[in-house]
Amino acid sequence: MQVDELLKPFPLKEFHPIPRALLGPGSHEMIGPEALKIGMRRPLVMTSGLRGTDIVNKLVESLKYHGLEPSVYDKVESNPKDYNVMDSVAIYQQDGCDGFISIGGGSSHDACKGARISVAHDGRNVNEFEGFNKSENPKNPPHIAVSTTAGTGSETSWAYVITDTTTDPANPHKYVAFDDHSVVTLAVDDPVLYYECPSHFTAQCGFDVLAHASEPYVSRLDFTPSLGSALYSAELVGEHLRTATWHADNLPAREGMMYAQYTAGQAFNSGGLGVIHSVSHAVSAFYDTHHGLNNAIALPRVWAWNLPVAYKRYARLAGALGVDTTGMNDVKAADAAVAAAIRLLRDVGITERFTDITQDTHPKNRLGTGPTDFYKKASTIKGDANDVDRVSKHILGDSCTPGNPKETTFETVRPVVEHCFNGDLDDLIS
């Protein structure tokens, strides 16, 4: 049975709680006292390492200053893998840790969420918890999630995303686990920590936020409490992403994107996601490309594909992105939303097709770098029929797909995927 058949037509709505949060400049200075307050003494710090910055070292030293004894796992990869999770679980158990602190973006937070679930179940493989509320033990170690990017909103949500590289090594599978027990204990969003985020990465993460805002706004779930926060988050992206991308230390822009991320996280936490994310999960499963970049490339195509079933909602998104829709009917305003998204993508310098991604031009991506044999061979995105077919098939099993406003089948989504690989964005606005 496919995911669509399990969930549609959403006769019941469910609100998923969000965690307590500290928001704003200087909030990262409270991590040590907050860790002590919730009972941590020997936390495991999980991070990608944030190489090129001194953020992790400073925060770890701050923890030590407050009397904590942290262990560090700094090998979390973009699109975190099952082995990242299980390696960190082994360190947690070996060092007798009593809590988690994740530092970074969604990859660090998601891997940490998976590790918490595994630890609470005596080290069982994280892949056993794919799906909806598969964990059985509600008593997880405490977790503080410290964000250094305005992107995923993982510190806010009940979801985490892991790539399964072991069940079928020849066909990696990126999945979303939705689990109420994975919600973090405390979220810390401090825009000062975003200053060292490179421009290209800021832009890609910003489009992740726009995907998180727009998808619950047009979702088939149609979750009323999410609609206002989703639309306002899109407005914040339209107002602040350009400045945050090209002026790294502009505090109002960084703070604006911080609130955009946090607000979008609240929106999709109960309002759901859609095929933008399903495309992204599939491409990163096969090529280990950055999630935000994948979302950016897919977003205008999926918006254009969805327009016929949600003109009024996309018309309002056009207004959120700064388009003056006075005198436009809903159809014209919805078309203008697609054009505005493309304009934003180009203004912040994002690549427009999957086949244009290379390791040389996109250093955050891991094309051909391994460590598994599969990823060592995945060095070039071909965009041929095989690529298009396997991504399209992966989409059908993705747990974000059922929320998409337009019915998704292999036949209907394949042309969208083909365009993501090889199409010209000007085709969407000509």
Side-chain angles (χ1 to χ4, degrees), residues 28-101:
H28 75 274
E29 296 178 5
M30 297 301 296
I31 298 169
E34 289 290 340
L36 292 170
K37 187 165 69 175
I38 60 179
M40 290 190 201
R41 292 298 182 273
R42 294 184 59 85
L44 176 63
V45 174
M46 290 184 61
T47 177
S48 63
L50 298 175
R51 290 162 183 81
T53 79
D54 198 33
I55 292 173
V56 173
N57 179 62
K58 287 180 178 178
L59 293 183
V60 167
E61 290 304 311
S62 177
L63 293 173
K64 292 178 180 178
Y65 174 81
H66 286 98
L68 292 107
E69 301 176 46
S71 298
V72 178
Y73 176 78
D74 64 357
K75 295 180 174 59
V76 176
E77 300 171 19
S78 294
N79 308 305
K81 314 302 186 295
D82 45 10
Y83 53 80
N84 295 149
V85 176
M86 301 316 299
D87 288 350
S88 64
V89 169
I91 294 173
Y92 186 97
Q93 295 171 329
Q94 172 187 308
D95 291 0
C97 296
D98 56 14
F100 289 93
I101 298 174

Side-chain angles (χ1 to χ4, degrees), residues 133-150:
N133 283 320
K134 290 293 183 67
S135 70
E136 300 156 6
N137 181 9
K139 296 181 179 180
N140 296 333
H143 176 191
I144 297 176
V146 185
S147 292
T148 61
T149 65

Side-chain angles (χ1 to χ4, degrees), residues 4 20 32 43 87 103 110 154 211 259 277 293 313 334-335 350 383 413 418:
D4 251 4
R20 175 173 169 256
D87 288 350
I103 303 171
D110 284 2
S154 179
Y259 281 115
H277 273 76
L293 174 59
R313 293 285 170 87
D335 287 340
I350 292 180
V413 82
E418 166 71 34

Side-chain angles (χ1 to χ4, degrees), residues 1-268:
M1 183 177 291
Q2 291 191 1
V3 179
D4 251 4
E5 297 169 337
L6 290 171
L7 296 182
K8 70 179 185 183
F10 306 104
L12 298 177
K13 316 290 185 182
E14 182 175 1
F15 175 79
H16 297 279
I18 58 175
R20 175 173 169 256
L22 297 177
L23 308 168
S27 56
H28 75 274
E29 296 178 5
M30 297 301 296
I31 298 169
E34 289 290 340
L36 292 170
K37 187 165 69 175
I38 60 179
M40 290 190 201
R41 292 298 182 273
R42 294 184 59 85
L44 176 63
V45 174
M46 290 184 61
T47 177
S48 63
L50 298 175
R51 290 162 183 81
T53 79
D54 198 33
I55 292 173
V56 173
N57 179 62
K58 287 180 178 178
L59 293 183
V60 167
E61 290 304 311
S62 177
L63 293 173
K64 292 178 180 178
Y65 174 81
H66 286 98
L68 292 107
E69 301 176 46
S71 298
V72 178
Y73 176 78
D74 64 357
K75 295 180 174 59
V76 176
E77 300 171 19
S78 294
N79 308 305
K81 314 302 186 295
D82 45 10
Y83 53 80
N84 295 149
V85 176
M86 301 316 299
D87 288 350
S88 64
V89 169
I91 294 173
Y92 186 97
Q93 295 171 329
Q94 172 187 308
D95 291 0
C97 296
D98 56 14
F100 289 93
I101 298 174
S102 55
I103 303 171
S107 297
S108 296
H109 300 333
D110 284 2
C112 195
K113 287 179 174 181
R116 287 176 71 209
I117 295 294
S118 175
V119 164
H121 295 79
D122 300 319
R124 283 167 53 190
N125 191 293
V126 67
N127 295 329
E128 296 181 30
F129 303 100
E130 175 183 353
F132 290 84
N133 283 320
K134 290 293 183 67
S135 70
E136 300 156 6
N137 181 9
K139 296 181 179 180
N140 296 333
H143 176 191
I144 297 176
V146 185
S147 292
T148 61
T149 65
T152 70
S154 179
E155 80 282 6
T156 312
S157 78
W158 71 308
Y160 60 96
V161 186
I162 304 294
T163 301
D164 178 349
T165 67
T166 55
T167 302
D168 183 0
N171 293 286
H173 168 59
K174 189 172 185 179
Y175 63 84
V176 186
F178 294 92
D179 201 314
D180 290 313
H181 300 152
S182 74
V183 176
V184 309
T185 312
L186 174 68
V188 178
D189 284 342
D190 188 336
V192 173
L193 297 181
Y194 303 172
Y195 283 1
E196 296 184 70
C197 188
S199 60
H200 68 280
F201 194 33
T202 296
Q204 293 170 19
C205 291
F207 261 83
D208 195 13
V209 178
L210 186 57
H212 290 158
S214 63
E215 292 205 289
Y217 191 64
V218 302
S219 171
R220 195 158 59 187
L221 276 78
D222 196 24
F223 188 66
T224 300
S226 290
L227 300 182
S229 54
L231 191 62
Y232 184 58
S233 176
E235 183 178 327
L236 288 171
V237 173
E239 181 178 355
H240 294 294
L241 181 57
R242 291 175 176 88
T243 303
T245 297
W246 302 119
H247 299 280
D249 59 354
N250 184 292
L251 181 59
R254 289 296 196 182
E255 192 164 18
M257 287 305 300
M258 178 201 76
Y259 281 115
Q261 166 188 262
Y262 186 76
T263 306
Q266 291 186 30
F268 82 77

